[in-house]
Amino acid sequence: MKKILAAFVIAALALTCASAKKSIKDKIDQVKIGKFKEVDVETGNLRIKKSFTGDLYPTEFTVKVYSEDGSMGLFYKTDMAAKESLRFDKDGREALKKAYEQYLKDYEGKKLKRSKKFVQAYGVARAKMVWKMISDRAIAHPKIYFGYIFVGKSPYFCIRVVQADAEEKKGDIEVKYSGRLIYFTRAEAKTLVEAMTEEKLQEAVQSTVVVLQEEDYEDEYEDADADYEEADSGEAVKADKKAKKDKKAKKAKKAAEEEEDPNADYAEAE
């Protein structure tokens, strides 16, 4: 009876832990932040494995802000000339920051296990992978895991991007992202994390805003501050009629003055 009761307790605890575990969303949050080309925020270095030899090699990354989805992307090129952009929303950037901070504590506290395999130690998030080979472009929303791995005696902070299906097919072909492990030294990871703050994102957005200056016009009046009295509509009509009448009388007088006397003698022309 005690064994059965214990089994029930264990099962209940397992269900509780499973329900308490934070679920990972299917896609990153889309946040439209305006129309502009991507903005470069910071550059640094990361390391990935060569496709055939498996050796690590350094390649430059650029942190960019993308207006199409409000994300910050880690853009880099592979040894096969492919271009990849691993994009984070606000939740993903926060998960990255927490993972790096815990990695530093474990590094400084000598708590890292000397493992030649990736140690999935610092949580999981959802990212957006946009990759391009020659002219073909594809998009997927893979899970990413934060952790570390030892290469010799050096523990690298790592982001593991798992395999994921692309959102669209190429004809009848299912396109997949094959996954990747991205390596960072402590200094390289620090550059990445500091470039992916909310403050950096807002600065990048603000840098694209064009402030339109209001055009200055010359005042047509000599005294711009002078007060003007509103004319009475009735008086204005009377004044207009009087002006027309006076003008008509003036024309009649002028015509009379110019009219010749029909009885006047004419001098004989020589």
Side-chain angles (χ1 to χ4, degrees):
M1 185 65 182
K2 289 182 179 179
K3 290 182 178 179
I4 295 172
L5 183 60
F8 275 117
V9 171
I10 292 170
L13 286 172
L15 287 172
T16 302
C17 291
S19 62
K21 187 177 179 180
K22 185 179 179 181
S23 61
I24 302 300
K25 53 196 173 186
D26 294 330
K27 296 183 178 181
I28 70 169
D29 293 331
Q30 303 286 307
V31 182
K32 302 296 182 181
I33 55 177
K35 291 184 179 181
F36 54 84
K37 293 182 179 179
E38 63 266 19
V39 181
D40 292 353
V41 176
E42 185 61 88
T43 59
N45 288 303
L46 55 79
R47 293 146 204 270
I48 55 179
K49 285 187 176 181
K50 288 187 176 181
S51 301
F52 297 106
T53 64
D55 297 331
L56 281 184
Y57 81 97
T59 184
E60 187 178 76
F61 71 79
T62 304
V63 173
K64 297 175 176 284
V65 174
Y66 297 90
S67 64
E68 64 191 56
D69 52 22
S71 66
M72 295 191 82
L74 176 62
F75 176 83
Y76 54 90
K77 295 179 182 178
T78 72
D79 63 319
M80 300 297 290
K83 298 176 182 178
E84 297 184 355
S85 178
L86 184 63
R87 304 182 186 185
F88 298 74
D89 60 7
K90 188 174 182 180
D91 289 344
R93 296 194 299 274
E94 186 62 29
L96 170 64
K97 180 184 176 183
K98 288 180 179 179
Y100 172 68
E101 289 173 348
Q102 187 58 53
Y103 164 76
L104 279 184
K105 288 181 181 179
D106 291 347
Y107 188 107
E108 293 167 358
K110 307 294 183 182
K111 294 181 180 180
L112 300 176
K113 298 177 182 178
R114 293 183 178 275
S115 174
K116 294 182 180 180
K117 293 182 178 181
F118 174 68
V119 180
Q120 187 176 298
Y122 305 123
V124 59
R126 181 72 66 179
K128 179 179 180 181
M129 171 59 75
V130 181
W131 74 100
K132 185 176 182 180
M133 176 67 80
I134 306 175
S135 60
D136 291 331
R137 184 175 185 264
I139 299 173
H141 285 81
K143 285 183 179 179
I144 53 173
Y145 294 91
F146 303 105
Y148 63 91
I149 190 172
F150 272 80
V151 179
K153 294 182 179 181
S154 303
Y156 286 83
F157 177 76
C158 291
I159 300 175
R160 180 177 171 237
V161 188
V162 303
Q163 179 178 302
D165 294 332
E167 293 180 348
E168 298 178 1
K169 294 182 180 179
K170 299 295 180 183
D172 295 329
I173 302 172
E174 293 281 354
V175 180
K176 290 181 179 290
Y177 182 71
S178 58
R180 185 176 299 284
L181 191 60
I182 307 174
Y183 300 70
F184 301 87
T185 64
R186 280 190 299 170
E188 291 165 351
K190 181 181 179 183
T191 299
L192 172 65
V193 172
E194 289 181 349
M196 282 208 170
T197 63
E198 193 66 20
E199 290 75 18
K200 291 289 186 181
L201 185 146
Q202 294 301 328
E203 286 176 11
V205 173
Q206 288 299 317
S207 71
T208 68
V209 176
V210 178
V211 180
L212 296 176
Q213 296 291 335
E214 198 175 308
E215 188 176 357
D216 293 325
Y217 293 93
E218 268 189 35
D219 202 313
E220 295 179 355
Y221 300 99
E222 292 182 4
D223 187 357
D225 297 324
D227 292 329
Y228 295 92
E229 183 178 356
E230 188 71 27
D232 180 75
S233 59
E235 292 299 325
V237 171
K238 289 178 183 179
D240 186 53
K241 285 182 178 180
K242 186 177 184 300
K244 287 180 179 179
K245 188 177 180 180
D246 290 346
K247 188 176 182 181
K248 190 176 181 180
K250 189 175 182 180
K251 280 185 177 181
K253 184 180 179 182
K254 185 176 181 181
E257 289 176 349
E258 291 176 352
E259 188 176 352
E260 292 182 353
D261 184 358
N263 300 315
D265 294 330
Y266 289 93
E268 189 69 32
E270 292 183 0

